[in-house]
Amino acid sequence: MISAFIDSFDLVDWSNPINRSHPLARGLIGWWLVVPNRMGWGTTTWRDLCGSFNGTLTNMSASSDWVGQGNGSLDLDGTNDYVKVPFSSKFDRLTTLTALCHCYLTASSGNNEGILSKWNTTDEDFILWGGNTDSNISFGADSSATTVWSGGWSTLQDSKWHTLGFTRNGQTVNIYADGVSKATATNAGNQPGANTTDQAINFGSYADDNFSGAAPIRFKSVSLWSRTLSSAEVASHNRETQQGYPGLLNRIPLPLAMMEQAAGGTILPMFNHYQCSQQAD
């Protein structure tokens, strides 16, 4: 028997959106995905697909900062915009951690511009930042040694969307872009860091309420795991991201009755789609 699936958001089962049987779902504790007309679109809340850690759009407009057609994105102006996810013990002082985002870097006027952070300017659990001043992308933890991808910011500021983030396992940190390790360090700060019970996670800010460190960036998604993904898993996640998460999102089977036969024998859906595939049972 043949069943067909569409690799877009049209057929996602939004009552149970994450395919928890997928290998990349193991340890996934937060996933913020931009979906037009869902997941907080048009409001000041970016809802967490995992269900527990909704983010609040801070100094942002619910009517104008959700932008774009198709999958859409969240546009941060680099002045004082950021998304704040309240503190939770579930992601505090983790000795193993992976954070990856699907982002678009726009023109930067400074340095120290936060991409993903959990820091209150006193104690630093983690921060991934960059900027045009030195053109690098760097990782820091507990105000200690950093992992630096030299030239990373300028490399990714190419008018394209990229997956960007880091893995950490104790003091070993890797910075990844588009599924490939770009920098690594084995002494990247005291882990798991200082007591950070008052720290939120921020998307697009260097630290809590530190607007001088706001990044000019657009997000399509941010994902957080309580484990260290392997290099192969990071590469797999990059493929999932580029393809619209065909494995990580639960999709409703589309009956063949809803399909039409196109010229040349290719099966296509009868409405707008991104990619169609068939699976044999």
PDB file of all heavy atoms in Angstrom, residues 82 84-85 87 92-93 116-128 140-143 193-202 205-211:
ATOM      1  N   TYR A  82      13.997  41.460  21.507  1.00  0.00           N
ATOM      2  CA  TYR A  82      14.431  40.099  21.810  1.00  0.00           C
ATOM      3  C   TYR A  82      13.239  39.286  22.288  1.00  0.00           C
ATOM      4  O   TYR A  82      12.179  39.838  22.596  1.00  0.00           O
ATOM      5  CB  TYR A  82      15.574  40.063  22.829  1.00  0.00           C
ATOM      6  CG  TYR A  82      15.240  40.533  24.243  1.00  0.00           C
ATOM      7  CD1 TYR A  82      14.992  39.619  25.260  1.00  0.00           C
ATOM      8  CD2 TYR A  82      15.232  41.881  24.566  1.00  0.00           C
ATOM      9  CE1 TYR A  82      14.728  40.034  26.552  1.00  0.00           C
ATOM     10  CE2 TYR A  82      14.969  42.316  25.851  1.00  0.00           C
ATOM     11  CZ  TYR A  82      14.707  41.388  26.855  1.00  0.00           C
ATOM     12  OH  TYR A  82      14.444  41.808  28.129  1.00  0.00           O
ATOM     13  N   LYS A  84      12.081  36.510  25.139  1.00  0.00           N
ATOM     14  CA  LYS A  84      12.484  36.076  26.479  1.00  0.00           C
ATOM     15  C   LYS A  84      11.690  34.849  26.908  1.00  0.00           C
ATOM     16  O   LYS A  84      10.459  34.868  26.935  1.00  0.00           O
ATOM     17  CB  LYS A  84      12.268  37.210  27.484  1.00  0.00           C
ATOM     18  CG  LYS A  84      12.781  36.927  28.889  1.00  0.00           C
ATOM     19  CD  LYS A  84      12.691  38.193  29.742  1.00  0.00           C
ATOM     20  CE  LYS A  84      13.332  37.990  31.108  1.00  0.00           C
ATOM     21  NZ  LYS A  84      13.377  39.261  31.873  1.00  0.00           N
ATOM     22  N   VAL A  85      12.412  33.769  27.223  1.00  0.00           N
ATOM     23  CA  VAL A  85      11.807  32.536  27.740  1.00  0.00           C
ATOM     24  C   VAL A  85      12.107  32.480  29.238  1.00  0.00           C
ATOM     25  O   VAL A  85      13.273  32.456  29.633  1.00  0.00           O
ATOM     26  CB  VAL A  85      12.384  31.296  27.036  1.00  0.00           C
ATOM     27  CG1 VAL A  85      11.779  30.027  27.622  1.00  0.00           C
ATOM     28  CG2 VAL A  85      12.118  31.368  25.536  1.00  0.00           C
ATOM     29  N   PHE A  87      12.832  31.685  33.188  1.00  0.00           N
ATOM     30  CA  PHE A  87      13.690  30.683  33.820  1.00  0.00           C
ATOM     31  C   PHE A  87      12.938  29.395  34.116  1.00  0.00           C
ATOM     32  O   PHE A  87      11.771  29.404  34.505  1.00  0.00           O
ATOM     33  CB  PHE A  87      14.260  31.230  35.136  1.00  0.00           C
ATOM     34  CG  PHE A  87      14.921  30.171  35.979  1.00  0.00           C
ATOM     35  CD1 PHE A  87      16.218  29.782  35.722  1.00  0.00           C
ATOM     36  CD2 PHE A  87      14.211  29.532  36.988  1.00  0.00           C
ATOM     37  CE1 PHE A  87      16.822  28.783  36.477  1.00  0.00           C
ATOM     38  CE2 PHE A  87      14.808  28.530  37.748  1.00  0.00           C
ATOM     39  CZ  PHE A  87      16.120  28.160  37.493  1.00  0.00           C
ATOM     40  N   ASP A  92      18.450  24.718  33.300  1.00  0.00           N
ATOM     41  CA  ASP A  92      19.427  25.484  34.069  1.00  0.00           C
ATOM     42  C   ASP A  92      20.647  24.638  34.405  1.00  0.00           C
ATOM     43  O   ASP A  92      20.525  23.487  34.812  1.00  0.00           O
ATOM     44  CB  ASP A  92      18.791  25.986  35.363  1.00  0.00           C
ATOM     45  CG  ASP A  92      19.696  26.972  36.079  1.00  0.00           C
ATOM     46  OD1 ASP A  92      20.189  27.899  35.418  1.00  0.00           O
ATOM     47  OD2 ASP A  92      19.914  26.817  37.296  1.00  0.00           O
ATOM     48  N   ARG A  93      21.847  25.199  34.203  1.00  0.00           N
ATOM     49  CA  ARG A  93      23.116  24.593  34.609  1.00  0.00           C
ATOM     50  C   ARG A  93      23.267  23.182  34.046  1.00  0.00           C
ATOM     51  O   ARG A  93      23.679  22.251  34.731  1.00  0.00           O
ATOM     52  CB  ARG A  93      23.233  24.590  36.136  1.00  0.00           C
ATOM     53  CG  ARG A  93      23.038  25.933  36.782  1.00  0.00           C
ATOM     54  CD  ARG A  93      23.200  25.878  38.279  1.00  0.00           C
ATOM     55  NE  ARG A  93      24.589  25.650  38.625  1.00  0.00           N
ATOM     56  CZ  ARG A  93      25.004  25.305  39.839  1.00  0.00           C
ATOM     57  NH1 ARG A  93      24.131  25.116  40.810  1.00  0.00           N
ATOM     58  NH2 ARG A  93      26.281  25.118  40.089  1.00  0.00           N
ATOM     59  N   LEU A 116      21.834  33.643  20.987  1.00  0.00           N
ATOM     60  CA  LEU A 116      21.157  32.848  22.005  1.00  0.00           C
ATOM     61  C   LEU A 116      21.921  33.042  23.305  1.00  0.00           C
ATOM     62  O   LEU A 116      23.145  32.898  23.334  1.00  0.00           O
ATOM     63  CB  LEU A 116      21.143  31.363  21.626  1.00  0.00           C
ATOM     64  CG  LEU A 116      20.551  30.993  20.260  1.00  0.00           C
ATOM     65  CD1 LEU A 116      20.814  29.524  19.955  1.00  0.00           C
ATOM     66  CD2 LEU A 116      19.055  31.278  20.233  1.00  0.00           C
ATOM     67  N   SER A 117      21.211  33.350  24.399  1.00  0.00           N
ATOM     68  CA  SER A 117      21.938  33.603  25.646  1.00  0.00           C
ATOM     69  C   SER A 117      21.116  33.205  26.856  1.00  0.00           C
ATOM     70  O   SER A 117      19.883  33.175  26.822  1.00  0.00           O
ATOM     71  CB  SER A 117      22.323  35.084  25.757  1.00  0.00           C
ATOM     72  OG  SER A 117      21.191  35.880  26.029  1.00  0.00           O
ATOM     73  N   LYS A 118      21.835  32.920  27.919  1.00  0.00           N
ATOM     74  CA  LYS A 118      21.254  32.721  29.253  1.00  0.00           C
ATOM     75  C   LYS A 118      22.247  33.359  30.231  1.00  0.00           C
ATOM     76  O   LYS A 118      23.155  32.725  30.740  1.00  0.00           O
ATOM     77  CB  LYS A 118      21.050  31.239  29.540  1.00  0.00           C
ATOM     78  CG  LYS A 118      20.283  30.963  30.833  1.00  0.00           C
ATOM     79  CD  LYS A 118      19.912  29.495  30.935  1.00  0.00           C
ATOM     80  CE  LYS A 118      19.153  29.206  32.219  1.00  0.00           C
ATOM     81  NZ  LYS A 118      20.023  29.370  33.412  1.00  0.00           N
ATOM     82  N   TRP A 119      22.054  34.633  30.440  1.00  0.00           N
ATOM     83  CA  TRP A 119      23.034  35.439  31.166  1.00  0.00           C
ATOM     84  C   TRP A 119      22.344  36.675  31.705  1.00  0.00           C
ATOM     85  O   TRP A 119      21.482  37.254  31.040  1.00  0.00           O
ATOM     86  CB  TRP A 119      24.176  35.833  30.217  1.00  0.00           C
ATOM     87  CG  TRP A 119      25.329  36.521  30.859  1.00  0.00           C
ATOM     88  CD1 TRP A 119      25.839  36.295  32.105  1.00  0.00           C
ATOM     89  CD2 TRP A 119      26.144  37.544  30.286  1.00  0.00           C
ATOM     90  NE1 TRP A 119      26.915  37.106  32.343  1.00  0.00           N
ATOM     91  CE2 TRP A 119      27.123  37.888  31.244  1.00  0.00           C
ATOM     92  CE3 TRP A 119      26.149  38.201  29.056  1.00  0.00           C
ATOM     93  CZ2 TRP A 119      28.090  38.865  31.006  1.00  0.00           C
ATOM     94  CZ3 TRP A 119      27.111  39.163  28.823  1.00  0.00           C
ATOM     95  CH2 TRP A 119      28.075  39.484  29.784  1.00  0.00           C
ATOM     96  N   ASN A 120      22.708  37.101  32.907  1.00  0.00           N
ATOM     97  CA  ASN A 120      22.119  38.306  33.482  1.00  0.00           C
ATOM     98  C   ASN A 120      23.167  39.386  33.736  1.00  0.00           C
ATOM     99  O   ASN A 120      22.981  40.244  34.608  1.00  0.00           O
ATOM    100  CB  ASN A 120      21.356  37.990  34.769  1.00  0.00           C
ATOM    101  CG  ASN A 120      22.265  37.398  35.840  1.00  0.00           C
ATOM    102  OD1 ASN A 120      23.484  37.361  35.695  1.00  0.00           O
ATOM    103  ND2 ASN A 120      21.662  36.939  36.923  1.00  0.00           N
ATOM    104  N   THR A 121      24.261  39.356  32.975  1.00  0.00           N
ATOM    105  CA  THR A 121      25.415  40.280  33.043  1.00  0.00           C
ATOM    106  C   THR A 121      26.305  40.017  34.250  1.00  0.00           C
ATOM    107  O   THR A 121      27.381  40.590  34.350  1.00  0.00           O
ATOM    108  CB  THR A 121      25.007  41.770  33.027  1.00  0.00           C
ATOM    109  OG1 THR A 121      24.407  42.126  34.279  1.00  0.00           O
ATOM    110  CG2 THR A 121      24.063  42.071  31.876  1.00  0.00           C
ATOM    111  N   THR A 122      25.883  39.156  35.161  1.00  0.00           N
ATOM    112  CA  THR A 122      26.713  38.803  36.323  1.00  0.00           C
ATOM    113  C   THR A 122      27.196  37.373  36.210  1.00  0.00           C
ATOM    114  O   THR A 122      28.387  37.092  36.289  1.00  0.00           O
ATOM    115  CB  THR A 122      25.923  38.981  37.626  1.00  0.00           C
ATOM    116  OG1 THR A 122      25.499  40.337  37.740  1.00  0.00           O
ATOM    117  CG2 THR A 122      26.801  38.633  38.826  1.00  0.00           C
ATOM    118  N   ASP A 123      26.256  36.448  36.026  1.00  0.00           N
ATOM    119  CA  ASP A 123      26.578  35.034  35.878  1.00  0.00           C
ATOM    120  C   ASP A 123      26.165  34.576  34.493  1.00  0.00           C
ATOM    121  O   ASP A 123      25.050  34.849  34.047  1.00  0.00           O
ATOM    122  CB  ASP A 123      25.864  34.197  36.933  1.00  0.00           C
ATOM    123  CG  ASP A 123      26.319  34.540  38.333  1.00  0.00           C
ATOM    124  OD1 ASP A 123      27.537  34.705  38.523  1.00  0.00           O
ATOM    125  OD2 ASP A 123      25.451  34.658  39.223  1.00  0.00           O
ATOM    126  N   GLU A 124      27.055  33.858  33.859  1.00  0.00           N
ATOM    127  CA  GLU A 124      26.863  33.470  32.470  1.00  0.00           C
ATOM    128  C   GLU A 124      26.770  31.956  32.372  1.00  0.00           C
ATOM    129  O   GLU A 124      27.726  31.245  32.605  1.00  0.00           O
ATOM    130  CB  GLU A 124      28.052  33.991  31.659  1.00  0.00           C
ATOM    131  CG  GLU A 124      28.006  33.737  30.179  1.00  0.00           C
ATOM    132  CD  GLU A 124      29.240  34.339  29.501  1.00  0.00           C
ATOM    133  OE1 GLU A 124      29.717  35.390  29.936  1.00  0.00           O
ATOM    134  OE2 GLU A 124      29.702  33.721  28.539  1.00  0.00           O
ATOM    135  N   ASP A 125      25.591  31.461  32.034  1.00  0.00           N
ATOM    136  CA  ASP A 125      25.432  30.031  31.815  1.00  0.00           C
ATOM    137  C   ASP A 125      25.888  29.687  30.397  1.00  0.00           C
ATOM    138  O   ASP A 125      26.706  28.805  30.197  1.00  0.00           O
ATOM    139  CB  ASP A 125      23.985  29.626  32.034  1.00  0.00           C
ATOM    140  CG  ASP A 125      23.815  28.128  32.210  1.00  0.00           C
ATOM    141  OD1 ASP A 125      24.794  27.408  31.974  1.00  0.00           O
ATOM    142  OD2 ASP A 125      22.718  27.685  32.569  1.00  0.00           O
ATOM    143  N   PHE A 126      25.340  30.402  29.412  1.00  0.00           N
ATOM    144  CA  PHE A 126      25.851  30.260  28.049  1.00  0.00           C
ATOM    145  C   PHE A 126      25.455  31.479  27.236  1.00  0.00           C
ATOM    146  O   PHE A 126      24.450  32.146  27.513  1.00  0.00           O
ATOM    147  CB  PHE A 126      25.345  28.976  27.377  1.00  0.00           C
ATOM    148  CG  PHE A 126      23.863  28.929  27.119  1.00  0.00           C
ATOM    149  CD1 PHE A 126      23.296  29.590  26.030  1.00  0.00           C
ATOM    150  CD2 PHE A 126      23.024  28.213  27.951  1.00  0.00           C
ATOM    151  CE1 PHE A 126      21.940  29.544  25.786  1.00  0.00           C
ATOM    152  CE2 PHE A 126      21.655  28.164  27.717  1.00  0.00           C
ATOM    153  CZ  PHE A 126      21.110  28.825  26.631  1.00  0.00           C
ATOM    154  N   ILE A 127      26.243  31.756  26.229  1.00  0.00           N
ATOM    155  CA  ILE A 127      25.905  32.810  25.286  1.00  0.00           C
ATOM    156  C   ILE A 127      26.606  32.553  23.961  1.00  0.00           C
ATOM    157  O   ILE A 127      27.783  32.204  23.921  1.00  0.00           O
ATOM    158  CB  ILE A 127      26.255  34.214  25.825  1.00  0.00           C
ATOM    159  CG1 ILE A 127      25.888  35.290  24.782  1.00  0.00           C
ATOM    160  CG2 ILE A 127      27.707  34.314  26.226  1.00  0.00           C
ATOM    161  CD1 ILE A 127      25.946  36.701  25.332  1.00  0.00           C
ATOM    162  N   LEU A 128      25.843  32.675  22.890  1.00  0.00           N
ATOM    163  CA  LEU A 128      26.369  32.619  21.530  1.00  0.00           C
ATOM    164  C   LEU A 128      26.163  34.004  20.942  1.00  0.00           C
ATOM    165  O   LEU A 128      25.040  34.507  20.905  1.00  0.00           O
ATOM    166  CB  LEU A 128      25.626  31.570  20.708  1.00  0.00           C
ATOM    167  CG  LEU A 128      26.149  31.307  19.294  1.00  0.00           C
ATOM    168  CD1 LEU A 128      27.475  30.545  19.348  1.00  0.00           C
ATOM    169  CD2 LEU A 128      25.127  30.512  18.482  1.00  0.00           C
ATOM    170  N   GLY A 140      30.523  31.615  24.969  1.00  0.00           N
ATOM    171  CA  GLY A 140      31.113  31.796  26.287  1.00  0.00           C
ATOM    172  C   GLY A 140      30.275  31.117  27.340  1.00  0.00           C
ATOM    173  O   GLY A 140      29.062  30.937  27.182  1.00  0.00           O
ATOM    174  N   ALA A 141      30.918  30.746  28.445  1.00  0.00           N
ATOM    175  CA  ALA A 141      30.222  30.115  29.563  1.00  0.00           C
ATOM    176  C   ALA A 141      30.886  30.519  30.865  1.00  0.00           C
ATOM    177  O   ALA A 141      32.108  30.444  30.989  1.00  0.00           O
ATOM    178  CB  ALA A 141      30.239  28.597  29.424  1.00  0.00           C
ATOM    179  N   ASP A 142      30.084  30.984  31.820  1.00  0.00           N
ATOM    180  CA  ASP A 142      30.563  31.334  33.161  1.00  0.00           C
ATOM    181  C   ASP A 142      31.708  32.342  33.092  1.00  0.00           C
ATOM    182  O   ASP A 142      32.653  32.278  33.863  1.00  0.00           O
ATOM    183  CB  ASP A 142      30.994  30.067  33.912  1.00  0.00           C
ATOM    184  CG  ASP A 142      31.089  30.312  35.410  1.00  0.00           C
ATOM    185  OD1 ASP A 142      30.481  31.288  35.881  1.00  0.00           O
ATOM    186  OD2 ASP A 142      31.785  29.542  36.087  1.00  0.00           O
ATOM    187  N   SER A 143      31.634  33.271  32.162  1.00  0.00           N
ATOM    188  CA  SER A 143      32.630  34.343  32.006  1.00  0.00           C
ATOM    189  C   SER A 143      34.044  33.800  31.828  1.00  0.00           C
ATOM    190  O   SER A 143      35.023  34.452  32.197  1.00  0.00           O
ATOM    191  CB  SER A 143      32.575  35.297  33.205  1.00  0.00           C
ATOM    192  OG  SER A 143      31.307  35.875  33.316  1.00  0.00           O
ATOM    193  N   GLY A 193      28.478  25.976  35.020  1.00  0.00           N
ATOM    194  CA  GLY A 193      28.310  27.409  35.184  1.00  0.00           C
ATOM    195  C   GLY A 193      27.821  27.782  36.569  1.00  0.00           C
ATOM    196  O   GLY A 193      27.583  26.943  37.439  1.00  0.00           O
ATOM    197  N   ALA A 194      27.682  29.074  36.778  1.00  0.00           N
ATOM    198  CA  ALA A 194      27.273  29.574  38.078  1.00  0.00           C
ATOM    199  C   ALA A 194      25.787  29.331  38.313  1.00  0.00           C
ATOM    200  O   ALA A 194      25.046  28.961  37.412  1.00  0.00           O
ATOM    201  CB  ALA A 194      27.577  31.066  38.151  1.00  0.00           C
ATOM    202  N   ASN A 195      25.360  29.553  39.559  1.00  0.00           N
ATOM    203  CA  ASN A 195      23.951  29.454  39.873  1.00  0.00           C
ATOM    204  C   ASN A 195      23.193  30.515  39.092  1.00  0.00           C
ATOM    205  O   ASN A 195      23.470  31.711  39.210  1.00  0.00           O
ATOM    206  CB  ASN A 195      23.751  29.651  41.382  1.00  0.00           C
ATOM    207  CG  ASN A 195      22.332  29.324  41.797  1.00  0.00           C
ATOM    208  OD1 ASN A 195      21.407  29.491  41.033  1.00  0.00           O
ATOM    209  ND2 ASN A 195      22.183  28.853  43.023  1.00  0.00           N
ATOM    210  N   THR A 196      22.230  30.110  38.312  1.00  0.00           N
ATOM    211  CA  THR A 196      21.583  31.042  37.387  1.00  0.00           C
ATOM    212  C   THR A 196      20.068  31.027  37.555  1.00  0.00           C
ATOM    213  O   THR A 196      19.336  31.111  36.587  1.00  0.00           O
ATOM    214  CB  THR A 196      21.947  30.685  35.943  1.00  0.00           C
ATOM    215  OG1 THR A 196      21.524  29.331  35.683  1.00  0.00           O
ATOM    216  CG2 THR A 196      23.424  30.799  35.696  1.00  0.00           C
ATOM    217  N   THR A 197      19.594  30.924  38.773  1.00  0.00           N
ATOM    218  CA  THR A 197      18.163  30.730  38.999  1.00  0.00           C
ATOM    219  C   THR A 197      17.313  31.932  38.618  1.00  0.00           C
ATOM    220  O   THR A 197      16.085  31.838  38.606  1.00  0.00           O
ATOM    221  CB  THR A 197      17.894  30.378  40.468  1.00  0.00           C
ATOM    222  OG1 THR A 197      18.456  31.394  41.312  1.00  0.00           O
ATOM    223  CG2 THR A 197      18.505  29.041  40.818  1.00  0.00           C
ATOM    224  N   ASP A 198      17.934  33.062  38.321  1.00  0.00           N
ATOM    225  CA  ASP A 198      17.150  34.221  37.914  1.00  0.00           C
ATOM    226  C   ASP A 198      17.305  34.518  36.428  1.00  0.00           C
ATOM    227  O   ASP A 198      16.892  35.578  35.957  1.00  0.00           O
ATOM    228  CB  ASP A 198      17.550  35.459  38.723  1.00  0.00           C
ATOM    229  CG  ASP A 198      19.022  35.810  38.559  1.00  0.00           C
ATOM    230  OD1 ASP A 198      19.783  34.953  38.066  1.00  0.00           O
ATOM    231  OD2 ASP A 198      19.395  36.940  38.933  1.00  0.00           O
ATOM    232  N   GLN A 199      17.897  33.596  35.694  1.00  0.00           N
ATOM    233  CA  GLN A 199      18.180  33.865  34.290  1.00  0.00           C
ATOM    234  C   GLN A 199      17.138  33.272  33.360  1.00  0.00           C
ATOM    235  O   GLN A 199      16.789  32.102  33.458  1.00  0.00           O
ATOM    236  CB  GLN A 199      19.544  33.287  33.892  1.00  0.00           C
ATOM    237  CG  GLN A 199      20.720  34.031  34.489  1.00  0.00           C
ATOM    238  CD  GLN A 199      22.022  33.424  34.029  1.00  0.00           C
ATOM    239  OE1 GLN A 199      22.023  32.456  33.294  1.00  0.00           O
ATOM    240  NE2 GLN A 199      23.118  33.986  34.464  1.00  0.00           N
ATOM    241  N   ALA A 200      16.679  34.108  32.439  1.00  0.00           N
ATOM    242  CA  ALA A 200      15.849  33.645  31.340  1.00  0.00           C
ATOM    243  C   ALA A 200      16.750  33.241  30.183  1.00  0.00           C
ATOM    244  O   ALA A 200      17.948  33.504  30.179  1.00  0.00           O
ATOM    245  CB  ALA A 200      14.898  34.749  30.907  1.00  0.00           C
ATOM    246  N   ILE A 201      16.168  32.580  29.196  1.00  0.00           N
ATOM    247  CA  ILE A 201      16.850  32.375  27.913  1.00  0.00           C
ATOM    248  C   ILE A 201      16.367  33.462  26.969  1.00  0.00           C
ATOM    249  O   ILE A 201      15.171  33.753  26.889  1.00  0.00           O
ATOM    250  CB  ILE A 201      16.552  30.985  27.340  1.00  0.00           C
ATOM    251  CG1 ILE A 201      17.236  29.904  28.177  1.00  0.00           C
ATOM    252  CG2 ILE A 201      17.008  30.880  25.892  1.00  0.00           C
ATOM    253  CD1 ILE A 201      16.998  28.497  27.679  1.00  0.00           C
ATOM    254  N   ASN A 202      17.308  34.087  26.290  1.00  0.00           N
ATOM    255  CA  ASN A 202      16.981  35.167  25.367  1.00  0.00           C
ATOM    256  C   ASN A 202      17.379  34.799  23.948  1.00  0.00           C
ATOM    257  O   ASN A 202      18.475  34.291  23.723  1.00  0.00           O
ATOM    258  CB  ASN A 202      17.703  36.455  25.772  1.00  0.00           C
ATOM    259  CG  ASN A 202      17.285  36.941  27.147  1.00  0.00           C
ATOM    260  OD1 ASN A 202      16.098  37.069  27.422  1.00  0.00           O
ATOM    261  ND2 ASN A 202      18.247  37.193  28.015  1.00  0.00           N
ATOM    262  N   SER A 205      19.438  38.589  22.092  1.00  0.00           N
ATOM    263  CA  SER A 205      19.946  39.567  23.054  1.00  0.00           C
ATOM    264  C   SER A 205      21.169  39.009  23.756  1.00  0.00           C
ATOM    265  O   SER A 205      21.248  37.812  24.044  1.00  0.00           O
ATOM    266  CB  SER A 205      18.875  39.915  24.088  1.00  0.00           C
ATOM    267  OG  SER A 205      19.389  40.792  25.062  1.00  0.00           O
ATOM    268  N   TYR A 206      22.120  39.894  24.068  1.00  0.00           N
ATOM    269  CA  TYR A 206      23.373  39.485  24.701  1.00  0.00           C
ATOM    270  C   TYR A 206      23.155  39.064  26.150  1.00  0.00           C
ATOM    271  O   TYR A 206      23.796  38.170  26.645  1.00  0.00           O
ATOM    272  CB  TYR A 206      24.368  40.641  24.627  1.00  0.00           C
ATOM    273  CG  TYR A 206      25.790  40.292  24.991  1.00  0.00           C
ATOM    274  CD1 TYR A 206      26.548  39.469  24.173  1.00  0.00           C
ATOM    275  CD2 TYR A 206      26.379  40.799  26.154  1.00  0.00           C
ATOM    276  CE1 TYR A 206      27.853  39.158  24.484  1.00  0.00           C
ATOM    277  CE2 TYR A 206      27.694  40.484  26.474  1.00  0.00           C
ATOM    278  CZ  TYR A 206      28.421  39.670  25.641  1.00  0.00           C
ATOM    279  OH  TYR A 206      29.718  39.355  25.960  1.00  0.00           O
ATOM    280  N   ALA A 207      22.260  39.748  26.832  1.00  0.00           N
ATOM    281  CA  ALA A 207      21.942  39.409  28.215  1.00  0.00           C
ATOM    282  C   ALA A 207      20.609  40.041  28.573  1.00  0.00           C
ATOM    283  O   ALA A 207      20.063  40.852  27.823  1.00  0.00           O
ATOM    284  CB  ALA A 207      23.033  39.906  29.162  1.00  0.00           C
ATOM    285  N   ASP A 208      20.050  39.680  29.723  1.00  0.00           N
ATOM    286  CA  ASP A 208      18.772  40.232  30.139  1.00  0.00           C
ATOM    287  C   ASP A 208      18.795  41.755  30.100  1.00  0.00           C
ATOM    288  O   ASP A 208      19.646  42.396  30.733  1.00  0.00           O
ATOM    289  CB  ASP A 208      18.448  39.776  31.564  1.00  0.00           C
ATOM    290  CG  ASP A 208      17.996  38.325  31.622  1.00  0.00           C
ATOM    291  OD1 ASP A 208      17.923  37.697  30.547  1.00  0.00           O
ATOM    292  OD2 ASP A 208      17.740  37.837  32.732  1.00  0.00           O
ATOM    293  N   ASP A 209      17.876  42.324  29.348  1.00  0.00           N
ATOM    294  CA  ASP A 209      17.680  43.775  29.292  1.00  0.00           C
ATOM    295  C   ASP A 209      18.919  44.536  28.847  1.00  0.00           C
ATOM    296  O   ASP A 209      19.055  45.734  29.127  1.00  0.00           O
ATOM    297  CB  ASP A 209      17.220  44.306  30.658  1.00  0.00           C
ATOM    298  CG  ASP A 209      15.946  43.634  31.129  1.00  0.00           C
ATOM    299  OD1 ASP A 209      15.066  43.412  30.283  1.00  0.00           O
ATOM    300  OD2 ASP A 209      15.841  43.334  32.322  1.00  0.00           O
ATOM    301  N   ASN A 210      19.831  43.873  28.153  1.00  0.00           N
ATOM    302  CA  ASN A 210      21.040  44.546  27.660  1.00  0.00           C
ATOM    303  C   ASN A 210      20.825  44.849  26.182  1.00  0.00           C
ATOM    304  O   ASN A 210      21.192  44.074  25.316  1.00  0.00           O
ATOM    305  CB  ASN A 210      22.267  43.652  27.866  1.00  0.00           C
ATOM    306  CG  ASN A 210      23.549  44.315  27.392  1.00  0.00           C
ATOM    307  OD1 ASN A 210      23.535  45.415  26.863  1.00  0.00           O
ATOM    308  ND2 ASN A 210      24.660  43.635  27.591  1.00  0.00           N
ATOM    309  N   PHE A 211      20.216  46.003  25.905  1.00  0.00           N
ATOM    310  CA  PHE A 211      19.834  46.305  24.533  1.00  0.00           C
ATOM    311  C   PHE A 211      21.031  46.630  23.650  1.00  0.00           C
ATOM    312  O   PHE A 211      20.950  46.553  22.428  1.00  0.00           O
ATOM    313  CB  PHE A 211      18.838  47.465  24.517  1.00  0.00           C
ATOM    314  CG  PHE A 211      17.619  47.201  25.353  1.00  0.00           C
ATOM    315  CD1 PHE A 211      17.046  48.212  26.093  1.00  0.00           C
ATOM    316  CD2 PHE A 211      17.062  45.937  25.418  1.00  0.00           C
ATOM    317  CE1 PHE A 211      15.923  47.971  26.876  1.00  0.00           C
ATOM    318  CE2 PHE A 211      15.948  45.680  26.197  1.00  0.00           C
ATOM    319  CZ  PHE A 211      15.376  46.707  26.931  1.00  0.00           C
TER     320      PHE A 211
END
